[in-house]
Amino acid sequence: MRRSALTALLVLALLVVPASAQAAPRIVALTPFGANTLAKLGVKPVAVGQTLGGRERISPKLKGVPVLTLSHPNGPNLEQLASLEPDIVLSSPTWAKGNESMGDLGIEVMIREPRRLQESYSQTLAIGKLVGKAKAAKELVGQIKKQVARARRDIESEPRVMVILGVGRTPFVFLPNSWGGDLITKAGGELLTGGVESDSGFERISDEVVVAENPDVIIAVPHAEEDDIPSLAEYLRTNPAWAGTNAVENNRIYISVDNSLLQAGTDVARTIRKVRRSYLDNWPG
Amino acid sequence: MSAHGPASHQVSVSLRRPLVYGALIVALAAAVVASLALGAVKVPVSVVIDTLLGKEVTGPERQIVETLRLPRTAEALAVGAALGVAGAILQGALANPLASPDVIGVTGGAGFGAILIIILFPGSIALLPIGALAFGLFAAALVFAIAWSGANRGSTGKVILAGIAVLSLFTAGTTGLLAAYPEKAPSAIFFIAGGLTSSGWEEMQAIWPYFAVGFVAAALLIRPLDRLALGDDVAASLGSRPHLIRLGAAIAAALLAAASAAIAGLVGFLGLVVPHVVRMAGGTSSHTFVVPASALGGAALLAAADTLARTLRAPIEMPVGPFMAILGVPLFLWLLRKVV
């Protein structure tokens, strides 16, 4: 009897151990969105990717988790990545070539870099399912939706906004299918793009279009440091090509250096509030 | 038949030069008109003309023509002419048909200088043209220092090898910076691919002295380069100093190419191919013809290519390099087949 009970316990243990191992795959999250979603679901990835632009956006809950340096075209160093023995990598289309090589290493690669708010909800649910926390993910999505609704309340003015990527006088504009472009729209801005479409979410447009569309607000996302903001703003304000636009004449050229418009995150409501308060000037009170 | 052959050949050669000049001037005029009349925003030709004549024009059209298209056209003409002349005098001075501003390191240096500012000092982005100019000239100075020292100083082979080494060094630096800061690559791509921007007269105001000195030096070198074309020994027997001519030509080319890179980024192809095209079309290698004709041809080609680059997928602007190849390569290949 005792022997049968022990055998039954052993069998049960053997069944339970693989099941729990399956429930906790080793995940590397290369995108801030992937890393922070895992953190909010209470899962620690084995490593996270550096934030593009060098400004930290990774949740404090992930303090101490190794950070992988990312570079074109592979993303992380593949040897370093392989040594972590991940089962899954949450990656971005930016590392398209590296994603292929990761696949060759037998690692499952999932693109988790949403370009639209709506997409971020479905990707959150997918991550939840992946780590066995579907219910928590559903609750998280509900929570973010509520926060976003609060952040979008009482939008009265809808300024015409152009969002520029990079430094220099060659404007790459954010398109509606970019994270920043979508959030500007959600914050009540009318995103100006000259009617351009591109799968990349960004495109270099003519200065003639900037003059003709006459934006009320220009937001530049230059991959720079806080200290660079005054000189960059002055540089853009004195761009002869944009002289005469409402944005220049009313001194409404802003510099965003915190990466929140460039890469998706879970801090959506905070970003929308910041855009409304600091740039669009349509936050109540 | 044989009695008429050489005479008729001489006539055809002497007629070819004015014909080529005529064709280049027509092409240049057409390119300038297209550059001013066409763009991402449709501006009626009458408004373009009124603006250029200083008549009363209101609204964004005036700004588009006056502040965007006019300086951009002027930049295309200056850069195109400068690269054409730089290529012509370098090919003459180094007696090498493959010589171009790349060979003296300017392109590599200018690219590194610009990317350094874009990536590491974005707050000083206003200094980009100066950074490109300074590093372009620094790279050329390195090449000159290496090539004009030690054994065989100033020899063609030494200049070319030093140029290739310095170019590789700066190209490696540029690639390293781009790999280390991938997120900043989009800002740098346009500079590397080469292209004009609509940034008013500001850049030209800062850079024009370098163009001026380069063009004047190139003009002064025309006759010495023709003597150099006879060979170093013959040139020396005629009282010329071959190494000094070569150094002068390299410095003039460096000034022109670095100033061009400061304004338009790394525009390749033009400096290499345009001098060959005018040489083949004109049926002569005389620098009296090749240098001014390369200036006209380079200006026309860059103005036309820039117009295509900003109108073909308007309002998207594309790098100018591929369009120069589309316009220039068929003509080059046709001439190559007919003449060589």
Side-chain angles (χ1 to χ4, degrees):
Chain A
M1 183 67 185
R2 190 179 288 170
R3 188 181 287 176
S4 315
L6 276 171
T7 310
L9 272 174
L10 190 64
V11 169
L12 193 66
L14 285 170
L15 286 172
V16 167
V17 169
S20 62
Q22 267 183 343
R26 291 174 65 78
I27 301 176
V28 168
L30 299 182
T31 59
F33 173 80
N36 292 343
T37 302
L38 287 174
K40 282 189 183 285
L41 295 175
V43 176
K44 244 186 190 180
V46 293
V48 296
Q50 70 178 124
T51 306
L52 289 182
R55 307 195 72 78
E56 198 52 73
R57 280 184 76 203
I58 303 298
S59 164
K61 287 180 188 168
L62 300 182
K63 202 176 172 187
V65 172
V67 178
L68 297 176
T69 303
L70 304 171
S71 63
H72 268 302
N74 285 324
N77 178 295
L78 293 176
E79 289 187 13
Q80 201 180 10
L81 180 74
S83 71
L84 295 166
E85 299 181 82
D87 301 305
I88 295 164
V89 171
L90 304 184
S91 189
S92 156
T94 309
W95 318 120
K97 191 172 184 302
N99 294 341
E100 269 181 44
S101 309
M102 291 175 215
D104 293 342
L105 290 171
I107 303 166
E108 190 177 350
V109 178
M110 294 178 172
I111 301 300
R112 292 291 174 257
E113 176 96 291
R115 293 229 199 117
R116 289 175 186 272
L117 185 55
Q118 199 58 38
E119 209 182 317
S120 77
Y121 299 146
S122 57
Q123 292 198 6
T124 301
L125 295 175
I127 291 174
K129 202 172 164 191
L130 181 76
V131 296
K133 300 211 170 192
K135 194 178 164 208
K138 203 172 168 187
E139 283 169 10
L140 177 60
V141 168
Q143 195 186 340
I144 294 174
K145 280 183 176 172
K146 272 185 201 161
Q147 289 168 350
V148 168
R150 278 202 296 274
R152 298 187 63 202
R153 75 181 198 274
D154 302 330
I155 292 176
E156 282 172 5
S157 69
E158 295 186 347
R160 295 155 56 75
V161 186
M162 196 165 267
V163 192
I164 305 294
L165 174 68
V167 292
R169 286 177 174 166
T170 49
F172 279 78
V173 291
F174 280 60
L175 303 178
N177 57 332
S178 66
W179 179 252
D182 194 37
L183 286 203
I184 292 295
T185 311
K186 296 287 184 290
E190 183 191 337
L191 190 70
L192 302 181
T193 64
V196 169
E197 290 177 8
S198 166
D199 289 343
S200 69
F202 307 95
E203 197 57 86
R204 196 207 160 183
I205 63 156
S206 165
D207 280 305
E208 292 185 13
V209 173
V210 182
V211 171
E213 296 220 321
N214 193 12
D216 300 313
V217 175
I218 294 175
I219 303 169
V221 183
H223 308 299
E225 302 297 322
E226 293 276 351
D227 296 347
D228 297 324
I229 291 178
S231 58
L232 279 171
E234 180 61 18
Y235 173 72
L236 294 174
R237 262 194 292 274
T238 56
N239 181 355
W242 298 350
T245 59
N246 286 339
V248 172
E249 294 207 332
N250 299 321
N251 201 14
R252 295 189 72 186
I253 292 187
Y254 304 103
I255 311 289
S256 168
V257 293
D258 66 1
N259 184 281
S260 56
L261 291 175
L262 193 63
Q263 271 194 299
T266 49
D267 50 353
V268 192
R270 194 175 62 189
T271 305
I272 291 174
R273 273 199 306 275
K274 186 189 167 188
V275 167
R276 292 187 61 191
R277 274 198 190 115
S278 307
Y279 310 142
L280 307 195
D281 198 20
N282 64 0
W283 184 257
Chain B
M1 183 78 179
S2 61
H4 296 303
S8 65
H9 175 71
Q10 265 193 342
V11 170
S12 75
V13 167
S14 61
L15 266 178
R16 266 165 80 173
R17 291 188 205 178
L19 277 176
V20 172
Y21 272 132
L24 288 172
I25 289 167
V26 170
L28 183 64
V32 168
V33 169
S35 179
L36 291 170
L38 303 174
V41 173
K42 196 174 175 186
V43 179
V45 177
S46 58
V47 174
V48 175
I49 293 168
D50 286 350
T51 306
L52 295 176
L53 294 176
K55 290 185 184 171
E56 185 71 22
V57 175
T58 52
E61 283 90 355
R62 181 181 192 89
Q63 192 190 352
I64 286 170
V65 175
E66 209 172 59
T67 315
L68 305 183
R69 290 188 193 171
L70 193 57
R72 187 161 175 156
T73 305
E75 285 181 358
L77 298 182
V79 171
L83 291 174
V85 169
I89 60 174
L90 273 178
Q91 286 167 11
L94 300 177
N96 188 316
L98 295 178
S100 73
D102 291 345
V103 165
I104 48 169
V106 174
T107 318
F112 178 76
I115 304 308
L116 195 69
I117 287 178
I118 289 171
I119 287 182
L120 295 185
F121 307 104
S124 306
I125 190 68
L127 297 176
L128 187 143
I130 302 300
L133 182 80
F135 272 88
L137 292 176
F138 173 63
L142 264 182
V143 172
F144 301 155
I146 297 163
W148 268 271
S149 61
N152 296 322
R153 62 174 57 184
S155 71
T156 304
K158 199 165 180 182
V159 175
I160 291 172
L161 287 174
I164 289 170
V166 169
L167 175 68
S168 305
L169 188 70
F170 281 104
T171 306
T174 304
T175 314
L177 281 173
L178 289 173
Y181 299 91
E183 74 279 5
K184 298 184 181 182
S187 302
I189 283 170
F190 210 81
F191 184 90
I192 292 171
L196 293 155
T197 56
S198 304
S199 49
W201 295 103
E202 226 172 60
E203 285 175 358
M204 274 298 269
Q205 279 169 351
I207 302 295
W208 76 265
Y210 299 90
F211 279 126
V213 174
F215 280 127
V216 169
L220 293 174
L221 282 161
I222 285 176
R223 289 200 184 283
L225 283 171
D226 275 339
R227 282 198 291 274
L228 194 65
L230 301 170
D232 281 13
D233 293 340
V234 178
S237 72
L238 292 171
S240 296
R241 296 169 67 184
H243 290 185
L244 207 60
I245 297 171
R246 211 164 274 136
L247 182 62
I251 291 172
L255 284 169
L256 292 170
S260 299
I263 285 182
L266 309 186
V267 177
F269 176 79
L270 196 155
L272 175 67
V273 169
V274 166
H276 286 295
V277 170
V278 299
R279 239 180 251 125
M280 287 189 275
T284 175
S285 293
S286 163
H287 291 88
T288 318
F289 170 75
V290 172
V291 171
S294 295
L296 290 172
L301 180 61
L302 188 55
D306 179 57
T307 307
L308 274 181
R310 62 192 160 87
T311 53
L312 213 63
R313 283 185 66 209
I316 295 170
E317 290 208 359
M318 292 184 284
V320 77
F323 293 95
M324 281 197 307
I326 289 167
L327 288 173
V329 167
L331 177 64
F332 179 65
L333 294 178
W334 180 74
L335 281 167
L336 201 63
R337 194 164 165 266
K338 291 273 285 184
V339 180
V340 178

